[in-house]
Amino acid sequence: LEDAGVVADWAARFVLQRITQFAPGPGRHFVLGLPTGGTPLGMYRRLIDFYKEGRLSFKYVTTFNMDEYVGLPRDHPESYHYYMWNEFFKHVDIDPGNAHVLDGNAADLVGECRRFEELIAAAGGVHLFIGGIGPDGHIAFNEPGSSLVSRTRVKTLAYDTLEANKRFFGNDISKVPRQALTVGVGTVMDAKEVMILITGVHKSLALAKAVEEGVNHMWTVSAFQQHAQALFVCDEDATLELR
Ligand code: F6R
C-alpha cells in the first residue's frame, strides 16, 4: 500500500469486516489480539471513528494485548496499560473486564503469564491477532533468538532493546524496565488469523527476512510463513528490500 496512512485505514477496515462478519453477541465474543507501538496508532484512530459512526461495537469483543513492561506503574505514560486505555479502550464501548493486558506488577509474574494463557484458552482462542514488528524482526518482546514455539513468559530485554527504548524514558537507560511480560511466538501462531502491520524503510530488511528467507528464530517474525492465515500489511517503503 502507498503509505502508513493507507495501511492504518486498510487494517481498520479489515478488523471491521472480520468483526461484522463474525456477528458477535452475548456469549459469542470476537477475540482480538492487539499490539502497542507507533504503527497501530492510525488503525486505532480509524476503529474509534467506526465506533463513533455507529458502524462497529466492541461490546462483545474480548482483547488480549501482546506485552507489558515489568514494574512500571499502570499510569506511567510508557506503560502499555496507559497506552491502550488512552489510545483506544476509553474511546470505545469495550467492557474493561474484557480488555486483557498482562500485569507487569503482579507479585507472581510466572503465574501471571500462565493465567494469561489460560484466559486466552478460556475465551476459545484468538480469532485475529494483530502485530507489529521491530527492525530486528521481533514480534511482541520475542527478540532475535526467541523460541518459535514460545508461550507467554517473562523476558529479560536485550541491551539493544533497552538502548532503542531509552528515548521514551528521558534518554536515561537506567529508567528503562529490564524485563517485560510477552506472549510467545507460539501464542500468536495459535490464533486463527494473524495480521502484521509493517511500515517504514527501517523495517524493510525485517520484511525481507520475514518472507524471502527460511524460517529462522533470529528473525522471529519469519515463523508466520508457517501460519495457515497470516497477512502482512505493508507500505511501499517497507518493501524496499524485497526481491
Ligand atoms: C507491540 C510490540 C512490538 C511492536 C514493535 C514495533 O506490542 O509488541 O512488536 O509492534 O516494536 O513498534 P513500532 O510500531 O513502534 O515501530
Side-chain angles (χ1 to χ4, degrees):
L1 300 171
E2 294 92 294
D3 57 33
V6 181
V7 166
D9 191 57
W10 197 97
R13 280 187 288 112
F14 187 82
V15 174
L16 169 71
Q17 192 251 347
R18 280 295 186 265
I19 296 178
T20 309
Q21 197 174 45
F22 182 83
R28 184 183 153 76
H29 280 220
F30 189 84
V31 184
L32 196 55
L34 297 175
T36 57
T39 313
L41 280 174
M43 176 190 73
Y44 288 135
R45 282 189 200 125
R46 291 296 292 139
L47 289 173
I48 294 164
D49 290 342
F50 293 156
Y51 164 69
K52 290 191 172 151
E53 291 160 9
R55 296 166 71 188
L56 183 58
S57 167
F58 293 89
K59 194 156 187 247
Y60 301 111
V61 173
T62 294
T63 63
F64 290 94
N65 262 85
M66 298 199 118
D67 41 16
E68 176 59 292
Y69 286 115
V70 167
L72 270 195
R74 256 168 209 246
D75 58 357
H76 188 289
E78 290 307 325
S79 88
Y80 293 172
H81 274 86
Y82 184 94
Y83 170 108
M84 286 311 297
W85 185 253
N86 282 287
E87 303 294 350
F88 188 47
F89 295 148
K90 79 171 183 195
H91 305 286
V92 297
D93 62 344
I94 194 163
D95 175 347
N98 293 330
H100 304 286
V101 183
L102 282 152
D103 179 4
N105 293 298
D108 173 9
L109 293 173
V110 174
E112 170 63 8
C113 293
R114 193 183 323 116
R115 189 187 68 93
F116 201 71
E117 289 276 346
E118 286 166 2
L119 278 172
I120 294 175
V126 175
H127 291 110
L128 172 64
F129 222 127
I130 305 169
I133 66 164
D136 62 359
H138 71 245
I139 177 146
F141 276 113
N142 297 288
E143 296 173 317
S146 292
S147 160
L148 299 185
V149 294
S150 49
R151 310 303 309 185
T152 305
R153 66 208 185 289
V154 187
K155 279 289 269 182
T156 298
L157 303 180
Y159 186 78
D160 283 355
T161 306
L162 302 182
E163 265 297 321
N165 288 359
K166 74 176 184 196
R167 66 185 195 277
F168 302 118
F169 294 88
N171 256 344
D172 180 352
I173 200 162
S174 73
K175 295 234 163 64
V176 187
R178 311 254 133 179
Q179 290 187 310
L181 305 185
T182 181
V183 294
V185 180
T187 317
V188 184
M189 282 291 286
D190 281 355
K192 289 189 186 72
E193 196 167 16
V194 177
M195 173 169 70
I196 298 170
L197 312 179
I198 310 180
T199 60
V201 69
H202 60 304
K203 307 259 175 95
S204 56
L205 179 64
L207 177 60
K209 295 282 182 186
V211 299
E212 288 187 341
E213 288 182 26
V215 174
N216 186 320
H217 67 308
M218 295 313 284
W219 294 89
T220 53
V221 64
S222 65
F224 296 96
Q225 290 178 26
Q226 295 187 323
H227 193 284
Q229 227 165 312
L231 184 64
F232 288 72
V233 189
C234 315
D235 69 354
E236 203 68 55
D237 285 352
T239 63
L240 204 77
E241 297 278 339
L242 294 182
R243 272 182 254 164

